[in-house]
Amino acid sequence: MDKLLQLLKFNDKGLIPAIIQDEKSGEVLTLCYMTKEALEKTLDEGKVYVFRRSKGRLMLKGETSGCTQSVKSLTIDCEGNSLLFKVDQLKAACHEGYFTCYFRKVDKEGKVEILGKRIFDPKDVYKSQ
Amino acid sequence: MDKLLQLLKFNDKGLIPAIIQDEKSGEVLTLCYMTKEALEKTLDEGKVYVFRRSKGRLMLKGETSGCTQSVKSLTIDCEGNSLLFKVDQLKAACHEGYFTCYFRKVDKEGKVEILGKRIFDPKDVYKSQ
């Protein structure tokens, strides 16, 4: 792990951004942030773990919804500033129930067009929270 | 532009991360950062402008190399924390001469495998710098 960490630059909060892309469809699913610990756990277990900034803790992506992401490959950018994981996405990546978090197409005027359909209803999935 | 900006959250440095994806191949090319000004210029001109943190200024992506990125679409994530641009990439996105900045596949031990081939030689493109 040390040799990998030498290739990477974590920011002043100890985080590195990680782009998550669905391997099969090529769709970009989400952008998350990892600590060294999150990266190590992700590589050890083969499932994406993120540092959830709003909760201040390490979480398995899909911990509540069951929509986990199985890691297929990891590439790093030319400067070691960010990560790109290709994954196999279970059901849907977005807490709003869409396959990808990038389901809102926008233009300069702020007009929003919703792309794709809801795969699950957030009210059912997160009702106990 | 104001309505679009209301949907977005810029960080405490006035930046928002933008994932750049090649529309045709689906390859993720790079992760950059935009100020409000960079986003506006990108949407006005249809070419990606970035806030280059190392230089502290707004730059046309590909200003030196000529490898510009023509914007095809913009989507935003569910929380308005990041942008995803699909683009038409001229030649290559990476200053190292590769099509994508994510040309290094890595494993937990830090072993690096280079994906793809160099499209241009950085020494030729950046020789005057």
Side-chain angles (χ1 to χ4, degrees):
Chain A
M1 187 76 181
D2 284 352
K3 209 175 150 198
L4 174 57
L5 292 179
Q6 283 170 19
L7 298 171
L8 301 175
K9 292 169 199 148
F10 289 76
N11 71 12
D12 53 5
K13 289 170 186 154
L15 300 173
I16 191 165
I19 301 167
I20 313 293
Q21 182 179 27
D22 183 57
E23 190 189 40
K24 276 185 209 139
S25 66
E27 278 194 75
V28 175
L29 300 173
T30 189
L31 177 69
C32 61
Y33 294 85
M34 290 187 176
T35 53
K36 288 177 187 172
E37 190 191 359
L39 175 58
E40 186 161 23
K41 219 166 153 58
T42 296
L43 293 172
D44 279 344
E45 301 196 7
K47 288 192 193 293
V48 172
Y49 279 79
V50 301
F51 185 80
R52 190 63 56 82
R53 292 176 299 172
S54 59
K55 303 204 176 189
R57 69 173 180 94
L58 197 66
M59 285 181 75
L60 172 70
K61 170 78 181 144
E63 185 179 280
T64 309
S65 65
C67 301
T68 54
Q69 298 171 329
S70 298
V71 174
K72 296 299 177 180
S73 69
L74 167 60
T75 47
I76 63 176
D77 77 14
C78 50
E79 293 183 336
N81 286 327
S82 63
L83 311 171
L84 171 62
F85 283 97
K86 290 196 181 178
V87 304
D88 183 11
Q89 174 67 52
L90 258 190
K91 282 191 276 184
C94 183
H95 75 293
E96 296 273 358
Y98 293 88
F99 187 64
T100 166
C101 290
Y102 299 93
F103 64 87
R104 292 185 291 172
K105 188 174 174 181
V106 295
D107 65 13
K108 198 188 165 193
E109 280 65 48
K111 197 181 139 203
V112 176
E113 179 191 347
I114 304 294
L115 306 177
K117 287 186 180 170
R118 275 213 161 103
I119 291 173
F120 65 77
D121 185 337
K123 282 182 211 146
D124 297 335
V125 171
Y126 301 100
K127 60 188 168 188
S128 62
Q129 296 209 306
Chain B
M1 186 76 180
D2 284 352
K3 210 177 150 197
L4 174 58
L5 292 179
Q6 283 170 20
L7 299 172
L8 300 176
K9 291 169 199 149
F10 289 77
N11 71 14
D12 52 5
K13 290 170 185 152
L15 300 173
I16 192 165
I19 300 167
I20 313 294
Q21 182 178 29
D22 183 57
E23 190 190 39
K24 275 186 210 138
S25 67
E27 278 195 75
V28 175
L29 300 172
T30 190
L31 177 69
C32 61
Y33 293 85
M34 290 186 176
T35 52
K36 288 176 187 173
E37 191 191 359
L39 174 59
E40 186 161 22
K41 219 165 154 58
T42 296
L43 293 172
D44 279 344
E45 301 197 7
K47 288 193 193 294
V48 172
Y49 280 79
V50 300
F51 185 80
R52 190 64 55 83
R53 291 177 298 172
S54 60
K55 303 205 176 188
R57 70 174 180 90
L58 197 66
M59 287 181 75
L60 173 69
K61 170 77 182 145
E63 185 179 282
T64 309
S65 64
C67 302
T68 53
Q69 298 172 329
S70 298
V71 173
K72 297 298 177 179
S73 68
L74 168 60
T75 47
I76 63 175
D77 78 13
C78 48
E79 293 184 336
N81 286 328
S82 63
L83 312 170
L84 170 62
F85 283 97
K86 290 196 182 177
V87 304
D88 184 10
Q89 174 67 52
L90 257 189
K91 282 192 274 183
C94 182
H95 75 293
E96 296 273 357
Y98 292 89
F99 187 63
T100 164
C101 290
Y102 299 93
F103 64 86
R104 292 185 291 171
K105 188 174 174 182
V106 295
D107 65 12
K108 199 189 164 193
E109 280 65 47
K111 197 182 138 202
V112 176
E113 179 192 347
I114 303 294
L115 305 177
K117 288 187 180 171
R118 275 213 161 103
I119 292 173
F120 65 76
D121 185 337
K123 283 182 211 147
D124 297 336
V125 170
Y126 301 100
K127 60 189 169 189
S128 62
Q129 295 208 306

